[in-house]
Amino acid sequence: NKYGLSKHRFDQHAQQVGWLPRIVGVKYFNVFGPNEDHKGEMRSLVHKAVGQILETGQLRLFKSHRADYRDGEQQRDFLYVKDAVEMTLHFAEHATTAGGLYNLGSGEANTWLALADAIFAAMGRPQNVEFIEMPAVLRDKYQYFTRADIAKLRATGYSRPMTPLADAVRDY
């Protein structure tokens, strides 16, 4: 950093000069939206799915390897990039009162099948999902459920509604 401080010393310096309460750190949950081409394999499933569907007419999703989740019922908090931008701008506008670490997501967990339904509907095509084996290297690391707890974000006065998943996919 331009002050020549280690992370620990930066934290101390930020505290001493009064910056710490204004510093915001964010963790975005499963963001999707326009202009993802540059992200390669880190593109959202929405982006990848459109290519798969245009090429093969179907979408491939991982099978579940847990008895408590049927295939396609794994859940994620999908966040539309337009909502992510609004949340981020909220912090810029409330920099003096919103310091801390925040989870940014829709606050809802949707299944992969709900996402697939939204993608196929937006493309005007019938749903056609093939479940494929999850690579063994992912099985122990795979998250079956994610949902951002956005209560802390809401406590800063952020009151905008999130774009419903199907609407966000259609807009994208």
Side-chain angles (χ1 to χ4, degrees):
N1 63 48
K2 71 180 187 179
Y3 298 102
L5 303 172
S6 67
K7 183 201 175 312
H8 176 70
R9 289 203 24 139
F10 177 79
D11 292 349
Q12 288 177 332
H13 179 72
Q15 180 67 39
Q16 289 170 351
V17 297
W19 294 347
L20 207 52
R22 297 183 354 222
I23 294 173
V24 173
V26 297
K27 176 184 179 190
Y28 296 100
F29 279 62
N30 300 292
V31 177
F32 68 95
N35 303 314
E36 292 189 57
D37 294 335
H38 70 283
K39 292 169 55 177
E41 280 306 306
M42 297 308 293
R43 294 170 295 144
S44 70
L45 180 67
V46 179
H47 189 282
K48 292 176 184 178
V50 169
Q52 282 182 27
I53 294 165
L54 289 173
E55 185 178 323
T56 68
Q58 69 179 191
L59 172 61
R60 293 180 307 275
L61 296 174
F62 289 139
K63 292 180 181 178
S64 174
H65 285 271
R66 284 182 41 181
D68 54 337
Y69 286 89
R70 294 191 324 244
D71 293 344
E73 296 295 322
Q74 306 94 319
Q75 297 178 45
R76 290 284 184 283
D77 185 330
F78 300 107
L79 178 62
Y80 191 34
V81 71
K82 289 182 179 181
D83 292 329
V85 168
E86 289 296 327
M87 293 171 183
T88 306
L89 290 174
H90 170 78
F91 288 120
E93 294 164 359
H94 296 87
T96 59
T97 60
L101 300 174
Y102 293 85
N103 289 322
L104 300 184
S106 69
E108 294 182 10
N110 285 281
T111 67
W112 288 109
L113 283 174
L115 181 64
D117 287 343
I119 295 167
F120 279 102
M123 294 179 73
R125 296 184 177 219
Q127 190 205 68
N128 182 4
V129 174
E130 175 189 7
F131 292 102
I132 61 173
E133 288 297 323
M134 185 182 302
V137 68
L138 294 180
R139 287 185 192 157
D140 291 338
K141 301 173 190 170
Y142 189 81
Q143 294 178 301
Y144 279 75
F145 181 88
T146 66
R147 182 182 67 226
D149 180 352
I150 60 171
K152 189 173 177 184
L153 168 67
R154 293 291 191 202
T156 68
Y158 187 82
S159 60
R160 290 178 59 105
M162 303 304 166
T163 307
L165 182 62
D167 294 346
V169 170
R170 188 173 30 261
D171 186 59
Y172 176 22

